[in-house]
């Protein structure tokens, strides 16, 4: 794992956006895995700025979002589809038909999970997967105890995640119980994974993910087995790491070929 600790959200998001931009410039048809949540908001803003002010083209982009709520339509204001539309998709030049989210509002919910996995394979797999992490160590909606080899499927949310996500709904009762989420195994097949985590509320999850045992109790910890995982965190999210000085030293002394 490469752990990058920077001063604030802006610096972290810029590094993440620069990684995305490198793939977009160097590959004709890159495939990204994309997250929702408050964490990637500034990352999306940076990419939009690069597109609008620096001529970064996203025309060749294919993307797969990590997850979606079950039982609310794509046009529901709190759906992840609406989130992506309002915070990213409507500002970029990617072809709309190449930007995918699971459809959580279908009668054939299990068929939808299989279809989504198949689509990813048909695109050649995910080149670059961006991830946030839940306060309980979840990635996408793979809550603690999720199988570390799981595929895209329906999951039941923990009460903590429903409470955490309730500000986007009128009340907690409106937060769906169920979601479709890429599995941990699906995420592990991405060729490069970039995790973003900010703030004191994530420091324990980050320390478990980076330095704790590999366990389904903290699904993010499986990323210790990933051949190319980059963890980008701000100072506040790094306070529970025991080796933060070492990670900073490694980053500050990275070879030229690793600099973007
Ligand atoms: C949500 C999403 C995750 C996200 C996480 C953290 O429930 N399904 O993909 O990474 O929880 O959210 P936030 O970035 O708002 O802290």
């Amino acid at each position: 794992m490469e752990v990058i600790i920077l001063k604030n959200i802006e610096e972290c998001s810029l590094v993440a956006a620069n990684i995305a931009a490198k793939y977009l410039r160097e590959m004709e048809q890159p495939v990204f895995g994309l997250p929702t949540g408050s964490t990637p908001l500034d990352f999306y803003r940076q990419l939009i700025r690069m597109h609008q002010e620096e001529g970064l083209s996203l025309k060749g982009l294919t993307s797969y979002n990590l997850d979606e709520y079950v039982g609310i339509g794509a046009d529901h204001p709190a759906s992840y589809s609406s989130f992506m539309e309002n915070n990213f998709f409507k500002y970029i030049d990617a072809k709309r038909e190449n930007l995918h989210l699971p459809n959580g509002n279908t009668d054939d919910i299990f068929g939808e999970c299989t279809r989504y996995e198949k689509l990813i394979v048909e695109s050649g797999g995910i080149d670059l997967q961006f991830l946030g992490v839940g306060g309980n160590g979840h990635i996408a909606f793979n809550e603690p105890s999720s199988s570390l080899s799981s595929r895209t499927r329906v999951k039941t949310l923990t009460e903590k995640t429903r409470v955490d996500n309730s500000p986007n709904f009128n009340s907690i009762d409106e937060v769906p119980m169920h979601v479709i989420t890429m599995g941990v195994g699906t995420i592990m097949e991405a060729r490069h994974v970039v995790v973003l985590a900010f703030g004191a509320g994530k420091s324990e999850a980050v320390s478990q993910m980076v330095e704790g045992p590999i366990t389904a109790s903290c699904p993010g910890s499986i990323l210790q087995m990933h051949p190319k995982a980059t963890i980008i965190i701000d100072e506040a999210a790094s306070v529970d790491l025991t080796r933060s000085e070492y990670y900073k030293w490694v980053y500050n002394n990275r070879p030229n070929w690793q600099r973007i």
Side-chain angles (χ1 to χ4, degrees), residues 34-41 66-69 80 130-136 138-143 157 161-162 164-165 168 179 181 196-198 202:
L34 296 176
T36 48
S38 54
T39 305
L41 280 174
L66 287 163
D67 42 21
E68 180 58 284
Y69 293 106
Y80 281 168
F130 289 94
L131 282 182
V133 61
N136 60 5
H138 76 230
I139 49 175
F141 269 134
N142 295 285
E143 298 281 28
L157 295 181
T161 301
R162 291 185 72 233
D164 286 352
N165 291 5
N168 300 322
V179 291
T181 179
L196 292 169
F198 309 134
K202 298 290 171 73

Side-chain angles (χ1 to χ4, degrees), residues 136-153:
N136 60 5
H138 76 230
I139 49 175
F141 269 134
N142 295 285
E143 298 281 28
S145 83
S146 287
S147 158
L148 298 180
S149 59
S150 51
R151 313 301 309 186
T152 300
R153 68 208 184 295

Side-chain angles (χ1 to χ4, degrees), residues 151-224:
R151 313 301 309 186
T152 300
R153 68 208 184 295
V154 175
K155 287 291 287 179
T156 306
L157 295 181
T158 61
E159 261 321 279
K160 171 171 172 39
T161 301
R162 291 185 72 233
V163 170
D164 286 352
N165 291 5
S166 60
N168 300 322
F169 294 83
N170 291 325
S171 74
I172 176 85
D173 302 325
E174 284 185 22
V175 183
M177 279 284 178
H178 301 109
V179 291
I180 294 184
T181 179
M182 272 190 209
V184 182
T186 320
I187 292 167
M188 284 295 282
E189 280 171 13
R191 289 181 272 279
H192 184 182
V193 177
V194 174
V195 184
L196 292 169
F198 309 134
K202 298 290 171 73
S203 64
E204 205 189 320
V206 165
S207 94
Q208 286 303 310
M209 176 174 70
V210 175
E211 295 178 343
I214 296 173
T215 165
S217 297
C218 175
S221 65
I222 192 65
L223 294 170
Q224 293 173 35

